[in-house]
Amino acid sequence: MKYRIEHDTMGQVQVPAERHWGAQTQRSKDNFKIGGQRQPQEIITAFAYLKEACAQANFEDGLLSKEQANVIAQACQEIRAGKWDEEFPLVVWQTGSGTQTNMNVNEVISHIAADHGVTVHPNDHANRSQSSNDTYPSALHIAAVLAVSQKVLPAAQRLEKSFKGLEEAYPEIIKIGRTHLQDATPIRFAQEVSGWREMVAAPCRMLESSLTELRRLAIGGTAVGTGLNAPQGFDAAVCRKLSVLTGVAFIPDENKFHALTAKDALVFAHGALKALACNLMKIANDIRWEASGPRCGIGELNIPANEPGSIMPGKVNPTQCEALTMVAVQVMGNDTAISVAASQGNFQLNVFLPVSAYNFLLSCNLLADAMDSFRVHCVDGITPNARRMEENLNNSLMLVTCLTPEIGYEEAAACAKKALQEGLTLREAVLARGSLSEEAYDRIVQPEKMVTPTK
């Protein structure tokens, strides 16, 4: 392999000749051979937006030439287009401030600029008016906002729409409800599905509200929040440029001493992701329980048969439900990591930024992919087993609940116990005890009247 010599303030470093990174990137690559999990691509993309916006703001302040600002912008656009993906090799497990990733971006921009015949120094130009301490948290917020708004929310809205279609397709089917894993009073199948639909929609509203705080950026705080070496109004100028580039209204965090050290906005937003994961866990469990069988389980739902289940011929397993629940477990674990990381801010900086970024973006990507997979390969193919639903409904003793206003709670309980102990239908037990006449029983016990409030 051919090498070239790069230098930084610590001396000279050998860098592979074909690479566009410099000495600080190489040092990090050599010193942190941990895990192999690279910085998320979303972070690199966010940095490319941020560096372009900073270059434009610096040009307007007379701190960069037009040629330098333009070539930095061109390099950033090429980075966002994926042309230089292999130039960002650094792992998550590095300095907690993300300094080396910031410098990796600066060095790559500098070498791309050199390819175009323009001199751009990684520190003096690409990083002008900036510090790793305000760029990495800003890139983290940019990446988080884009991941939530462009990946998670659209996938959730598609899943919500699928549940809405399932809800509207079967408005009349009535089934038995279940609480405590025991029979309960009747419910429309559409009502049950509406609950699943809202369990997707509700945390999305929480996610949307979290974006307000995530759109506040640390940029302009530089090293410790004072804004040293950044011109007056730099933060607002960068946010204006960013808003144009991304289509998202980013604004400066008014208190940079908060922005550099606190990760509360990330914790809050991931809390909404966790809420979504918890709800998806519940939905997937409901569906796989109700599809259990086909003959010895509940058997009220038919789900798509996507692949053979095991060595048992003809067996089909609820694999999409299982995948979704595993994703939910991972997101809940990520939430713990983010919470602990956010609690570790010391003095003027939080030094758990890369691990926070890694876990947050992992949650976003997993949830978006899993919801789409679950929708396409499971929800869109669900049909109710109306016959089994009717059998279970008619076999339930909890229909007795509607008799309580007529015969009283204790007599209704006695009827249900008699039916259970003697293997009778509820109707047979009520008539045997003389609690009601046949006509009265048939008039009162009508499941279709039990799925709405009593008039």
Side-chain angles (χ1 to χ4, degrees):
M1 181 181 289
K2 294 182 179 180
Y3 293 92
R4 69 176 189 274
I5 300 299
E6 291 276 340
H7 75 277
D8 58 17
T9 57
M10 292 183 67
Q12 295 184 336
V13 180
Q14 278 191 329
V15 176
E18 74 277 9
R19 300 272 60 113
H20 276 63
W21 63 69
Q24 291 198 49
T25 302
Q26 190 64 44
R27 290 188 193 279
S28 180
K29 193 172 185 295
D30 292 341
N31 292 338
F32 296 98
K33 297 178 180 179
I34 303 173
Q37 293 83 14
R38 284 166 60 165
Q39 286 286 322
Q41 186 60 45
E42 294 90 344
I43 288 292
I44 304 303
T45 298
F47 262 110
Y49 277 121
L50 183 63
K51 295 293 178 179
E52 181 175 353
C54 288
Q56 292 176 352
N58 278 321
F59 166 67
E60 291 181 355
D61 278 309
L63 301 176
L64 290 179
S65 70
K66 185 174 183 180
E67 184 181 43
Q68 288 171 328
N70 286 344
V71 78
I72 290 173
Q74 181 178 347
C76 289
Q77 291 159 18
E78 292 178 4
I79 290 170
R80 295 199 298 273
K83 183 176 179 180
W84 303 102
D85 287 353
E86 294 308 309
E87 301 300 322
F88 302 99
L90 302 188
V91 295
V92 171
W93 321 107
Q94 52 164 281
T95 174
S97 63
T99 297
Q100 289 135 8
T101 290
N102 179 51
M103 288 309 302
N104 183 192
V105 176
N106 291 331
E107 289 176 345
V108 171
I109 289 172
S110 176
H111 283 88
I112 295 172
D115 288 348
H116 293 286
V118 181
T119 298
V120 169
H121 190 277
N123 293 90
D124 296 337
H125 302 128
N127 204 51
R128 188 67 184 259
S129 309
Q130 305 154 60
S131 163
S132 297
N133 295 354
D134 66 351
T135 58
Y136 197 101
S138 295
L140 172 51
H141 275 212
I142 294 166
V145 169
L146 296 181
V148 168
S149 58
Q150 295 178 1
K151 294 180 180 180
V152 179
L153 291 175
Q157 289 158 2
R158 289 189 290 269
L159 180 57
E160 181 187 348
K161 184 178 179 181
S162 287
F163 279 131
K164 183 67 173 176
L166 183 61
E167 177 186 348
E168 293 175 345
Y170 303 98
E172 301 303 327
I173 295 178
I174 298 175
K175 53 170 288 186
I176 199 66
R178 296 179 177 89
T179 59
H180 304 273
L181 297 181
Q182 304 294 308
D183 302 347
T185 56
I187 186 174
R188 290 192 187 278
F189 175 59
Q191 291 172 321
E192 181 175 49
V193 177
S194 77
W196 297 338
R197 170 177 54 79
E198 184 62 17
M199 290 182 80
V200 176
C204 286
R205 293 193 294 271
M206 301 172 199
L207 264 178
E208 288 170 348
S209 70
S210 75
L211 295 179
T212 300
E213 294 300 321
L214 281 178
R215 287 195 292 265
R216 299 180 186 276
L217 303 185
I219 195 68
T222 63
V224 294
T226 61
L228 178 67
N229 291 344
Q232 188 76 26
F234 181 73
D235 55 354
V238 171
C239 287
R240 285 196 299 271
K241 304 297 183 184
L242 266 175
S243 299
V244 173
L245 290 172
T246 63
V248 176
F250 290 103
I251 60 173
D253 194 312
E254 294 180 2
N255 189 319
K256 302 299 191 295
F257 307 103
H258 161 264
L260 267 62
T261 194
K263 292 292 146 287
D264 44 13
L266 203 70
V267 172
F268 182 73
H270 198 275
L273 291 174
K274 182 178 70 171
L276 177 59
C278 291
N279 285 359
L280 292 171
M281 172 75 85
K282 190 268 185 190
I283 292 168
N285 279 334
D286 280 359
I287 290 173
R288 65 175 172 173
W289 271 111
E290 292 186 16
S292 62
R295 292 188 173 178
C296 299
I298 295 175
E300 292 184 348
L301 292 181
N302 305 309
I303 59 174
N306 295 317
E307 60 273 319
S310 73
I311 61 170
M312 290 172 272
K315 191 172 190 292
V316 177
N317 295 328
T319 52
Q320 289 294 321
C321 295
E322 292 166 3
L324 184 59
T325 54
M326 286 193 290
V327 164
V329 167
Q330 183 64 56
V331 172
M332 293 175 203
N334 293 348
D335 192 73
T336 298
I338 288 171
S339 299
V340 174
S343 73
Q344 299 302 303
N346 299 123
F347 307 117
Q348 278 69 60
L349 187 66
N350 181 291
V351 290
F352 287 74
L353 296 178
V355 71
S356 299
Y358 176 74
N359 281 279
F360 189 96
L361 295 167
L362 177 61
S363 291
C364 289
N365 289 323
L366 286 175
L367 285 170
D369 288 349
M371 285 189 289
D372 276 337
S373 182
F374 184 61
R375 170 180 57 83
V376 171
H377 299 294
C378 184
V379 176
D380 286 348
I382 289 176
T383 58
N385 184 340
R387 180 187 59 79
R388 188 61 174 266
M389 288 182 176
E390 185 177 9
E391 288 174 357
N392 288 338
L393 175 66
N394 292 334
N395 198 38
S396 172
L397 301 178
M398 290 304 101
L399 297 177
V400 74
T401 306
C402 68
L403 298 179
T404 302
E406 190 75 23
I407 64 176
Y409 183 90
E410 293 189 8
E411 179 60 21
C415 291
K417 289 179 180 180
K418 181 178 179 65
L420 181 62
Q421 292 166 359
E422 300 180 18
L424 303 175
T425 66
L426 180 62
R427 188 176 191 276
E428 289 170 340
V430 170
L431 297 181
R433 286 184 59 85
S435 305
L436 286 173
S437 67
E438 292 185 27
E439 182 276 329
Y441 181 93
D442 293 338
R443 172 175 49 82
I444 297 170
V445 183
Q446 298 183 47
E448 64 273 13
K449 294 182 178 179
M450 300 172 67
V451 295
T452 56
T454 304
K455 294 182 180 178

